[in-house]
């Protein structure tokens, strides 16, 4: 079967997507109406109108004011419906109470978008919230997009569009800036003129009633003028939309965020200002890590990082080499480097030998490389030339302090020439500079900046920037490293068993599962637990203990008590029947005295597990108000709240993300092996974390779940797992809730509902399922099966195999966001080799801002004409219906007659347009 082009890989698609981008009417309108335009000096309506007409943007401006026939000498209209031309954008500056009716008038008039600068909405409480509800309900009926309310407006400096009441127009540049604070926007604008910073877009987003972070990130991701995105954030809003957009865009355009509300007091102030709740700051950090966003703490760093990440390559590691002509600044740089997470590069013996040939005898012979105060320009350049070749270095900082023998300007010229002529030597390693000394080094700074080498007044600032660069690179690498495929045991997970246990608790009116039920849920997902038996009498406890073998542990069995140790409900290391008898009575008595006998339902009897040669860990999940389920891993046991050694992540995980979670904890160093102790099975621990995250996202009725402790053994013991859950606790949601009302994960989990078995015409059995990151090796082999004809018909041009199987390309195809894209593969397990193969790939890509998608399809040449392409496309259509899409389209080459027949067979309507065949099917 021959296959159609995927528009997502064709340059023409970028033009089409720009034309269809729903925010184009906001950023590039041809007609703008100002509702509330006024002649009154100092009014917002007058400032908006003046900014629009004083900075020509190539469009027409219409004042709207029912009381005046003209405003500022321009003909005014009493209402939007009276304007003779169709309106792309309205700017609304009227009292909050009038806005819902104005929005209805805009919808009736066919207006595409609106900017509501008016305040008085959800930030004032219930009355304002109701106004917002009315506005949004009416806007959505007319597909009208809204920026605001309670915002400054926006600017497009490259076209001259200024729909704000700010005093000046921003300079054109390549930074897309988005802010929730209008007041901060004006401050940043003033700062940008002093620092000569330019913008591709300057947006005050307000309270994000409609257009949110995700919409704007997608738009700026497509915008050719935008090279990086800077965000001032107070609340996350739609977490899934933000994460989805940021993850897609961050790989090609850096996204840097400064988030207000790190401290509890600041979080409260932020909530009061924006009318939105803020979640845990550590959870927000985890979310940023997961989608490749870099978080900074200072406004200056926000723009420093947009500059440096646009000019310099991302470091491949945390190791920095420091070249300096003075010892003190080198020490200062080292302190900041180490304290903020970086490392000093270790200079190799070969590099030291090469440096000895170009440096004076008394150079430091270590990193920082002190080349002495009399260093001339050539000494700086030769040192840099030597260092960039050292494999142990990931970046270089060059520090110059003006001394009587130093020429800052000439040194900068030499470095500029070297970087320009020998750029291939750097192999992706960034170069930063700190030219210290004020006015006398300004000329040198200008030379370096023009060469793309960022300069900093102080070396500690430069090393802080380098560490931010590494953090950004590290975050992206974690997203797109190919994880290890987990070889699941047969029959796992047992989702039905887990659901049955939850249903039983609901029928009994419980929200707390017993310890045994909690462990059974873990076992259903392949997480090993210590054998646990229930005893409801003293005699039964003794019988259970005798069967298990001593020593044993007794723990409270209760349907209501969450923490057993708090009520004296745990007795350990019981060596005989008498001890078991005593422990049973002691637990019963303690519970009765502290909380009442009705909370005692018996005990659990378990073997005592020797903790020698192992570590107690904790794995858990709880709910964040903004991001839904959140995972926790760290040092466990009874002192878990004392040590507070923990890492936080968003589910679901793969093995790469699980390893990143481990690496963020202090206990990880011990788990790798320390002081002669062998390491724990880290691969098994990664897989256990992956299974646990799968449990969390697949069982939405679970509100909280803890494994504490999880014993990670360093010594293998007969008949015992290397990882063993010794205790478990599960809390579920109230049964009166509806499934659709339960908190959902911020990142959409693997869509198991789209997995199905199918047979080719020749009887070959395949599994049609969504693609996953672990499929990258299979995708490489799949592309090797394609003929040049299939490649041409898929991409509209020939593509070398090396290009098709490059990791940078395949990671985008395999590491997909199931909210934005659905790719189905036909997975065939070869019975002779027991290896899996991909026979076909079908992809459904949603368009930004509209409820539509495009499909693409490829089938391995050896398996064409077996009905496989038809079935995959049929399944993609069903996915579109399930996802409530309105339309699916594709462009097909005229000569690709086989694909045209397949498309028609499953219901597509074909139409020739501009030399291509347009395929379209209307769904819901």
């Amino acid at each position: 079967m021959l296959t159609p082009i995927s528009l997502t890989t064709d340059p023409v698609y970028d033009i089409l997507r720009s034309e269809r981008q729903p925010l184009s009417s906001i950023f590039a309108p041809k007609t703008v109406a100002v509702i509330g335009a006024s002649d009154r000096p100092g009014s917002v309506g007058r400032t908006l109108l003046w900014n629009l007409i004083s900075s020509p943007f190539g469009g027409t401006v219409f004042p709207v004011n029912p009381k005046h026939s003209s405003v500022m000498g321009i003909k005014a209209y009493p209402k939007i419906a009276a304007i003779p031309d169709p309106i792309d954008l309205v700017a609304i500056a009227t009292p909050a109470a009038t806005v819902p009716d104005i929005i209805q008038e805009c919808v009736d008039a066919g207006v595409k978008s609106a900017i509501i600068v008016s305040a008085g909405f959800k930030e004032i409480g219930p009355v304002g919230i109701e106004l917002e509800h009315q506005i949004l309900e009416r806007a959505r009926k007319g597909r009208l997009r809204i920026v605001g309310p309670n915002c400054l407006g926006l600017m497009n400096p490259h076209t001259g569009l200024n729909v704000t009441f700010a005093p000046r127009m921003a300079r054109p540049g390549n930074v897309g800036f988005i802010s929730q604070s209008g007041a901060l926007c004006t401050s940043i604008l003033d700062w940008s003129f002093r620092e000569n910073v330019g913008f591709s877009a300057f947006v005050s987003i307000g309270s994000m009633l409609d257009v949110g972070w995700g919409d704007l990130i997608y738009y700026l991701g497509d915008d050719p003028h935008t090279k990086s995105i800077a965000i001032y954030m107070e609340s996350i809003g739609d977490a899934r939309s933000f994460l989805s957009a940021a993850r897609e865009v961050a790989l090609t355009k850096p996204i840097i965020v400064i988030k207000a509300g790190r401290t509890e007091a600041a979080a409260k102030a932020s909530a009061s200002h924006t009318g939105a709740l803020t979640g845990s700051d550590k959870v927000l950090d985890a979310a940023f890590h997961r989608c490749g966003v870099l978080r900074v703490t200072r406004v200056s760093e926000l723009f420093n990082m947009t500059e440096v990440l646009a000019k310099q390559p991302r470091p491949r590691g945390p190791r920095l080499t420091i070249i300096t002509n003075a010892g003190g600044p080198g020490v200062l740089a080292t302190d900041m480097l180490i304290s903020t997470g970086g490392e000093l590069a270790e200079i190799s013996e070969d590099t030291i030998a090469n440096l000895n040939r170009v440096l004076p005898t008394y150079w430091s012979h270590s990193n920082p490389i002190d080349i002495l105060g009399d260093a001339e320009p050539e000494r700086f350049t030769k040192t840099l030339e030597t260092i960039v070749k050292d494999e142990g270095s990931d970046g270089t900082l060059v520090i110059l302090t003006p001394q009587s023998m130093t020429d800052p300007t000439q040194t900068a010229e030499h470095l500029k020439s070297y970087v320009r002529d020998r750029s291939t030597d750097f192999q992706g390693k960034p170069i930063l500079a700190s030219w210290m000394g004020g006015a006398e080094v300004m000329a040198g700074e200008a030379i370096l900046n023009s060469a793309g080498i960022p300069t900093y007044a102080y070396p500690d600032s430069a090393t802080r920037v380098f560490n931010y660069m590494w953090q950004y690179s590290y975050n992206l690498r974690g997203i797109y490293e190919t994880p290890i495929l987990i070889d699941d045991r047969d029959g796992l997970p047992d989702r039905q068993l887990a659901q049955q246990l939850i249903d039983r608790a609901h029928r009994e009116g419980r929200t707390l599962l017993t310890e045994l039920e909690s462990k059974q849920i873990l076992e259903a997902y392949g997480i090993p637990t210590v054998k646990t038996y229930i005893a409801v009498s003293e005699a039964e406890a003794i019988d259970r203990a005798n069967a298990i073998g001593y020593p044993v542990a007794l723990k409270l069995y209760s349907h209501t008590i969450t923490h057993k140790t708090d009520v004296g409900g745990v007795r350990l290391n019981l060596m005989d029947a008498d001890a078991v008898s005593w422990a049973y009575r002691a637990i019963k008595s303690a519970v009765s005295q502290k909380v009442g006998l009705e909370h005692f339902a018996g005990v659990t009897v378990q073997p005592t597990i020797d903790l020698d040669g192992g570590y107690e860990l904790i794995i858990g999940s709880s709910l964040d108000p903004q991001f839904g389920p959140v995972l926790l891993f760290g040092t466990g046991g009874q002192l878990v709240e004392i040590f507070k050694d923990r890492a936080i992540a968003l589910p679901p995980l793969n093995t790469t993300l699980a390893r990143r979670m481990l690496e963020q904890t202090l206990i990880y160093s011990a788990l790798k092996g320390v002081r002669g102790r062998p390491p724990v099975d880290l691969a098994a621990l990664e897989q256990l974390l992956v299974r646990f995250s799968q449990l969390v996202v697949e069982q939405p009725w679970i509100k909280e779940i803890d494994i504490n402790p999880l014993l990670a053994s360093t010594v293998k013991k007969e008949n015992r797992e290397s990882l063993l859950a010794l205790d478990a606790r599960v809390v579920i949601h109230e049964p009166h809730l509806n499934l659709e009302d339960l908190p959902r994960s911020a990142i959409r989990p693997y869509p198991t509902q789209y997995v199905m078995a199918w047979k080719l015409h020749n009887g070959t059995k395949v599994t049609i399922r969504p693609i996953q990151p672990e499929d990258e090796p299979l995708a490489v082999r799949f592309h090797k099966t394609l003929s040049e004809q299939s490649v041409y018909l898929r991409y509209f041009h020939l593509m070398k195999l090396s290009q098709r199987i490059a990791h940078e390309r395949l990671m985008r195809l395999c590491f997909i966001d199931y909210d934005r894209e659905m790719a189905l593969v036909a997975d065939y397990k070869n019975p002779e080799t027991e290896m899996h193969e991909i026979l076909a790939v079908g992809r459904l890509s949603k368009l930004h801002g509209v409820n539509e998608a495009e499909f693409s399809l490829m089938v391995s040449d050896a398996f064409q004409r077996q009905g496989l392409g038809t079935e995959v496309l049929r399944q993609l259509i069903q996915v579109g219906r399930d996802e409530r899409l309105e339309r699916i389209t594709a462009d097909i080459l005229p000569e690709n007659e086989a694909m045209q027949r397949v498309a028609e067979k499953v219901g597509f309507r074909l139409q020739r347009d501009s030399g291509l065949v347009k395929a379209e099917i209307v769904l819901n």
Side-chain angles (χ1 to χ4, degrees), residues 467-680:
N467 280 342
Y468 273 134
M469 295 176 73
W470 161 237
Q471 181 183 330
Y472 183 72
S473 184
Y474 179 82
N475 291 350
L476 288 179
R477 186 184 298 177
I479 297 172
Y480 292 109
E481 279 184 2
T482 305
I484 299 169
L485 182 63
I486 292 181
D487 184 17
D488 275 313
R489 308 173 193 176
D490 293 338
L492 291 176
D494 189 343
R495 300 179 181 90
Q496 185 176 1
L497 173 60
Q499 190 59 55
Q500 288 173 349
L501 292 166
I502 293 171
D503 290 343
R504 184 173 68 188
H506 276 161
R507 287 194 302 270
E508 296 174 1
R510 293 187 285 124
T511 58
L512 178 68
L513 300 191
T514 66
E515 180 185 354
L516 181 60
E517 290 169 333
S518 300
K519 289 178 176 177
Q520 287 175 324
I521 285 184
L522 295 179
E523 290 279 1
Y525 276 80
I527 298 173
T529 66
V530 63
K531 295 299 181 184
T532 302
Y533 303 93
I534 298 171
V536 297
S537 68
E538 193 174 327
E540 190 176 7
I542 293 171
D543 289 341
R544 293 294 192 188
N546 289 335
I548 292 172
Y550 296 96
V552 297
L554 262 61
K555 298 180 183 179
L556 169 65
Y557 179 67
S558 174
H559 295 101
T560 55
I561 300 298
T562 300
H563 298 290
K564 295 180 282 291
T565 53
D566 293 347
V567 295
V570 178
R571 295 292 187 272
L572 305 175
N573 295 314
L574 307 175
M575 304 304 296
D576 53 33
D578 289 341
V580 170
S581 179
W582 167 83
Y584 186 94
R585 294 193 303 271
I587 292 173
K588 184 176 181 179
S589 175
V591 172
S592 177
Q593 292 176 11
K594 292 186 178 181
V595 292
L597 190 58
E598 67 273 16
H599 297 283
F600 178 84
V603 298
T604 61
V605 186
Q606 307 169 26
T608 294
I609 303 298
D610 181 10
L611 300 182
D612 289 344
Y615 299 96
E616 290 184 289
L617 308 174
I618 183 172
I619 298 176
S621 174
S622 59
L623 293 178
D624 179 84
Q626 293 174 323
F627 293 95
V630 176
L631 303 176
L632 177 142
F633 168 82
T635 303
Q638 294 184 357
L639 299 180
V640 61
E641 292 299 331
I642 303 300
F643 292 126
K644 294 184 179 180
D645 173 29
R646 63 189 65 174
I648 293 174
L650 300 183
L653 301 178
N654 55 37
T655 54
T656 298
L657 294 171
R659 176 61 68 98
R660 289 299 175 91
M661 200 174 181
L662 300 180
E663 291 172 350
Q664 293 174 43
T665 61
L666 298 175
I667 192 68
Y668 178 64
S669 297
L671 298 179
K672 291 188 296 181
V674 62
R675 294 185 177 179
R677 295 180 66 175
V680 304

Side-chain angles (χ1 to χ4, degrees), residues 838-850:
I838 289 178
L839 307 186
V841 181
R843 192 173 299 271
L844 202 60
S845 303
K846 294 181 183 178
L847 299 175
H848 298 161
V850 293

